[in-house]
Amino acid sequence: MKPNPPEQLVAAGRARHTAVVDGYLHATDPDRFTTLYEAADHVLDELTERYQVERRETKEARGHGDALVRTVRLIPRIPSAAPMAIYFTDPGLHLHFGRWWRETLPECGCDSCDEDPKLLAEQLRDHTAALTEGGLWERVRRGLSGSWYETRLIGTGVKADREGPLSTAGARDARRGGFAAPVQWAPWQVRT
């Protein structure tokens, strides 16, 4: 039985996963995810050809202190449709949809988790299809301990939720941007 990737584990499970991973090399075949990069390039090419989007390719850091990586952004011509970015990292991809949707493929690249690149490529296709069909919802929620973002991606074979804390300035900026009520991003416009 494969252990769950660390993001899906509770604290005790995460500690066991780390102990297993620390017992040997994290990934004895890190090149197994090159097919995922090829699938991402294929998806990006298809989306660029099919939809009215601006494609921007750069090298940028995903976060503070991170190395520069190839990044491809697709920005729909209509502002009511959600943009997307794919960061080509080691060992896989980081997807950014809309304002807050974030996903890492694979969640964990270790041999113990052994995520299948073919299944990850299919997940990439399903999630980008849900995005382009207008299946991304986002909003800011206020709570006693501060503000949170909520985001949901719904499409054929996809129903997933994410949430996380926002800084006071980030929450204020998001509410000014119209995210106080749920926002459903529009479908991407098809080229004519």
Side-chain angles (χ1 to χ4, degrees):
M1 180 173 129
K2 293 186 235 176
N4 291 325
E7 291 178 12
Q8 296 177 348
L9 299 172
V10 293
R14 210 173 1 262
R16 281 192 299 277
H17 174 82
T18 302
V20 169
V21 170
D22 287 344
Y24 62 95
L25 290 174
H26 286 281
T28 55
D29 184 16
D31 292 335
R32 72 181 185 268
F33 294 109
T34 57
T35 58
L36 186 56
Y37 300 143
E38 293 165 2
D41 278 326
H42 185 72
V43 166
L44 288 164
D45 290 343
E46 284 181 345
L47 294 175
T48 302
E49 288 176 20
R50 182 164 188 216
Y51 296 101
Q52 294 182 21
V53 295
E54 179 183 343
R55 182 175 177 152
R56 296 181 188 167
E57 294 200 34
T58 62
K59 289 221 178 231
E60 56 188 76
R62 201 176 64 78
H64 298 293
D66 288 343
L68 295 178
V69 296
R70 177 179 173 224
T71 305
V72 181
R73 295 181 185 284
L74 297 183
I75 303 162
R77 299 274 182 205
I78 59 169
S80 58
M84 72 176 280
I86 297 180
Y87 294 81
F88 290 76
T89 63
D90 185 22
L93 306 171
H94 288 271
L95 310 178
H96 291 203
F97 295 167
R99 188 171 186 123
W100 295 297
W101 183 270
R102 304 292 180 260
E103 188 154 11
T104 304
L105 302 175
E107 288 185 36
C108 179
C110 77
D111 292 341
S112 180
C113 292
D114 194 28
E115 293 184 71
D116 184 353
K118 290 178 185 175
L119 294 176
L120 295 172
E122 188 60 37
Q123 183 178 343
L124 170 67
R125 283 190 277 290
D126 289 346
H127 286 208
T128 56
L131 174 74
T132 61
E133 293 166 1
L136 181 64
W137 296 71
E138 298 183 299
R139 77 175 186 147
V140 173
R141 184 187 69 192
R142 289 185 187 182
L144 294 174
S145 61
S147 295
W148 291 74
Y149 70 84
E150 291 180 338
T151 181
R152 175 175 290 162
L153 187 63
I154 301 171
T156 304
V158 178
K159 185 175 181 189
D161 299 310
R162 304 272 190 279
E163 66 177 27
L166 288 171
S167 67
T168 303
R172 187 176 35 246
D173 182 49
R175 283 192 290 276
R176 286 181 185 154
F179 288 90
V183 171
Q184 179 181 11
W185 291 95
W188 288 14
Q189 286 185 320
V190 176
R191 290 188 187 274
T192 54

